[in-house]
Amino acid sequence: MNRKIQVVKSRVSRRGGFVKQFIFLSGAAGLFLLLIGSGTGWSAPITFNTALPVAEQEFIFRELFVLDQSGDDPSGAERDRKAFAAVSVLGYGVTRDFALFGVLPYVDKGLDITSMGQRRSRDANGIGDATLFGRYTVIEDNIPGRTFRVAPFVGVELPTGDDEETDAFGRLPPSVQPGSGSADPFAGIVATYQTLDFQVDTQLSYKVNTEANDFELGDIARFDASLQHRLLPATLESGVPGFLYAVLEGNLIYMDQNKNNGIQNPNSGGTTLFLTPGLQYVTRRWIVEGGVQLPVIQDLNGTALEKEYIVLFGFRFNF
């Protein structure tokens, strides 16, 4: 029985990581790096990467839907910002240890604001900025019923989205544009510890945002952690078609201040801690998942707009 369980686990735990990483739709660009955590397997983080592999010469596809709501405006302008994204992720196992990922989002952003006594609604939609990155396993330690892996990753977010949208009030602000107009590199490292009953993932990453259109979004540093625990079945037996996992994740995100014409904006950037409860239903070839990111700490600069919640729902499969 243990041998059979281990064979099944070996087959289903070949999956890739993130991106994009859930979507952190803030400022000029969506931080798609953290939304991926994609792949097949027993479980995986919802909001970020994993170190578990993508099988050699196999593809992983993930579709993640993200609703990002920001409000509680301390500036008095009654800003209300909503952003929806449908993020498509494709991963490929080049070798047993090396995987490549591509991410392409479709975004729909809107901002309601009171200016000069009038309520204004500004919005735009379209293809967002694409992300390309590679991930390589540098540490692998396997024993029956357990695996531990460490994998650094590096990539770039490309300016494929439109960054020059206008409306009746003029050029849209960067937070509403579908794209950023800048090429933004990022790098990080992710570690995964997986057993037959639970999985723990942690990740450190840093993204350098560059200037475009006299605007530069602040650099982003983050630490992520995820615990996935099997709820059903309570004991492993042969012939089980799927598994239900409870997921709890934490995301500590620091964003530097934005710059306009080279001058730092004191009403931008800061530190946010999210907690994300979620559920996953996992089979040998596909996963359905959902979660809600809730800000428990927001230490933002000046009148920076606060997050209210981020809803995530998606699926993934390998082929």
Side-chain angles (χ1 to χ4, degrees):
M1 176 65 72
N2 289 339
R3 177 177 176 81
K4 185 171 185 178
I5 290 173
Q6 191 61 27
V7 170
V8 172
K9 182 176 178 63
S10 175
R11 292 182 63 185
V12 303
S13 65
R14 299 183 177 277
R15 60 174 185 255
F18 203 5
V19 185
K20 217 171 184 2
Q21 321 175 305
F22 71 47
I23 253 187
F24 181 61
L25 284 173
S26 175
L31 184 57
F32 297 122
L33 170 62
L34 304 155
L35 287 176
I36 265 190
S38 69
T40 65
W42 278 32
S43 188
I46 297 174
T47 63
F48 66 100
N49 208 339
T50 182
L52 294 177
V54 179
E56 185 173 352
Q57 297 184 6
E58 280 199 11
F59 288 93
I60 297 293
F61 177 78
R62 185 185 192 190
E63 189 71 20
L64 184 66
F65 303 99
V66 183
L67 176 63
D68 184 334
Q69 170 64 43
S70 300
D72 194 11
D73 183 9
S75 72
E78 300 178 319
R79 290 173 296 170
D80 183 88
R81 181 177 179 273
K82 293 182 176 66
F84 171 79
V87 185
S88 301
V89 182
L90 185 64
Y92 178 69
V94 180
T95 69
R96 185 175 182 277
D97 296 321
F98 181 57
L100 291 174
F101 298 88
V103 184
L104 186 64
Y106 176 87
V107 298
D108 189 342
K109 303 180 181 181
L111 175 66
D112 295 333
I113 186 171
T114 299
S115 177
M116 302 179 64
Q118 293 184 337
R119 192 66 175 164
R120 297 179 177 180
S121 295
R122 313 191 70 181
D123 59 80
N125 58 68
I127 298 298
D129 289 345
T131 298
L132 298 175
F133 74 98
R135 191 199 63 200
Y136 188 83
T137 301
V138 294
I139 296 176
E140 177 181 349
D141 181 19
N142 300 318
I143 64 173
R146 178 190 66 78
T147 185
F148 174 70
R149 295 170 185 265
V150 177
F153 57 90
V154 64
V156 62
E157 185 179 270
L158 301 171
T160 56
D162 190 351
D163 62 312
E164 298 182 348
E165 289 275 359
T166 61
D167 61 10
F169 304 107
R171 188 189 184 98
L172 294 174
S175 63
V176 184
Q177 296 285 353
S180 66
S182 62
D184 306 319
F186 59 83
I189 189 167
V190 59
T192 297
Y193 179 81
Q194 183 191 63
T195 73
L196 297 178
D197 296 319
F198 69 90
Q199 179 175 317
V200 176
D201 298 86
T202 60
Q203 176 180 270
L204 282 170
S205 65
Y206 193 88
K207 181 183 179 189
V208 178
N209 289 304
T210 60
E211 185 272 337
N213 305 312
D214 298 322
F215 176 82
E216 183 178 332
L217 188 71
D219 292 354
I220 299 173
R222 60 184 292 157
F223 172 73
D224 305 280
S226 175
L227 171 64
Q228 306 115 56
H229 187 272
R230 191 184 73 249
L231 297 178
L232 296 173
T235 58
L236 290 176
E237 299 177 357
S238 61
V240 177
F243 306 86
L244 180 65
Y245 280 83
V247 183
L248 182 62
E249 300 183 11
N251 315 101
L252 181 62
I253 302 172
Y254 171 76
M255 178 179 288
D256 202 359
Q257 292 180 337
N258 303 336
K259 292 182 180 179
N260 294 281
N261 295 309
I263 301 174
Q264 287 189 328
N265 179 358
N267 297 311
S268 64
T271 302
T272 302
L273 174 63
F274 291 99
L275 286 182
T276 309
L279 289 172
Q280 291 181 330
Y281 184 75
V282 182
T283 72
R284 182 171 300 185
R285 284 290 179 179
W286 53 268
I287 296 175
V288 176
E289 61 195 347
V292 180
Q293 261 188 316
L294 301 171
V296 294
I297 297 175
Q298 295 194 79
D299 183 15
L300 306 181
N301 298 320
T303 59
L305 191 61
E306 294 185 356
K307 295 284 183 181
E308 293 183 340
Y309 57 83
I310 302 174
V311 178
L312 306 119
F313 175 80
F315 60 88
R316 27 184 148 182
F317 61 89
N318 70 317
F319 57 96

